[in-house]
Amino acid sequence: MDLCHIPATREKGWYLALMAPNVKGPNYAWLDPSRLYCHPQGLQDCVADLLQPFQGDPIDMVAGIDAMGFILGAAAAAALRKGFLAIRKAGHLCVQTLTQPYTDYSGREKVMEVRTDAISPGLRILLVDQWVETGGTMRAAIQLVERLGGVVAAPPCVPTGVAAICIEDSEGGRWIQERYKCAHCVPPRLQPRFDRHQ
């Protein structure tokens, strides 16, 4: 799809066609959403779709996960007129941090960190990442926020939640969706294809 083309009818997820397939082999994610961020209307509609389920919910801050979650998270924070917190891969922050080990979608062991002075008890956080495949990265981010007393979302708490372009129907993806209010951009008819990486 042309980066200047805007469809006459913009159904939820129309911008997914802007994403590029993996041409570099198994060490990379199967699909690259970053091309859709280059399309001004595509990015706006993607963020609007991610935020729609949270309309009217009290959100105090948006947190994005290193690195591609920074793009969607910052865009969501700007749309909501809220602050943005970067949850980083360990070793990048020069301030007091809290760390959490995790295993990413590729099976690699990593460590994530967040600054300790940005989240106060009861702060309602919307967590944003580009993609939830196995759920390990998002789960580590949830643990960091909750260890600092922040509220991601769990009934009967006030819902904020988790947002990503796609939350795959994996064990980790289901764990997140069962416990947290979630938003993603993939229409139900396309979800099985995304789950099979087609």
Side-chain angles (χ1 to χ4, degrees):
M1 182 183 290
D2 189 311
L3 286 176
C4 297
H5 175 71
I6 300 174
T9 304
R10 301 196 321 264
E11 298 177 355
K12 177 181 177 178
W14 70 268
Y15 41 80
L16 297 174
L18 292 161
M19 298 189 297
N22 172 0
V23 296
K24 290 191 172 181
N27 291 335
Y28 294 84
W30 74 279
L31 193 62
D32 176 26
S34 64
R35 187 170 180 265
L36 87 81
Y37 307 150
C38 299
H39 192 292
Q41 191 64 56
L43 177 59
Q44 288 180 49
D45 288 356
C46 176
V47 170
D49 287 343
L50 287 176
L51 294 178
Q52 196 283 325
F54 304 105
Q55 294 299 314
D57 290 356
I59 296 171
D60 299 314
M61 183 185 291
V62 178
I65 301 173
D66 198 341
M68 298 306 284
F70 293 170
I71 298 167
L72 286 177
L80 292 170
R81 298 178 183 261
K82 300 295 180 184
F84 174 76
L85 173 65
I87 298 178
R88 303 296 311 269
K89 294 182 178 82
H92 295 287
L93 294 172
C94 63
V95 296
Q96 186 80 25
T97 61
L98 184 67
T99 61
Q100 179 66 45
Y102 68 101
T103 304
D104 75 1
Y105 71 92
S106 69
R108 290 178 288 192
E109 297 290 330
K110 296 184 177 179
V111 178
M112 186 180 296
E113 68 181 356
V114 67
R115 60 187 310 135
T116 58
D117 60 359
I119 299 175
S120 55
L123 197 75
R124 295 162 299 204
I125 307 285
L126 174 62
L127 267 171
V128 180
D129 201 2
Q130 177 171 269
W131 208 270
V132 175
E133 189 168 337
T134 61
T137 305
M138 182 61 75
R139 194 166 179 173
I142 290 168
Q143 290 170 319
L144 283 172
V145 168
E146 292 181 344
R147 285 171 60 195
L148 289 171
V151 177
V152 176
C157 295
V158 176
T160 45
V162 169
I165 291 175
C166 178
I167 301 175
E168 293 187 23
D169 185 26
S170 60
E171 182 180 346
R174 288 190 297 273
W175 185 93
I176 291 164
Q177 292 190 80
E178 288 165 3
R179 289 163 177 80
Y180 299 90
K181 185 172 185 178
C182 294
H184 64 90
C185 302
V186 179
R189 64 185 171 78
L190 295 179
Q191 186 71 45
R193 293 179 62 189
F194 278 73
D195 294 336
R196 292 192 298 268
H197 293 186
Q198 296 176 340

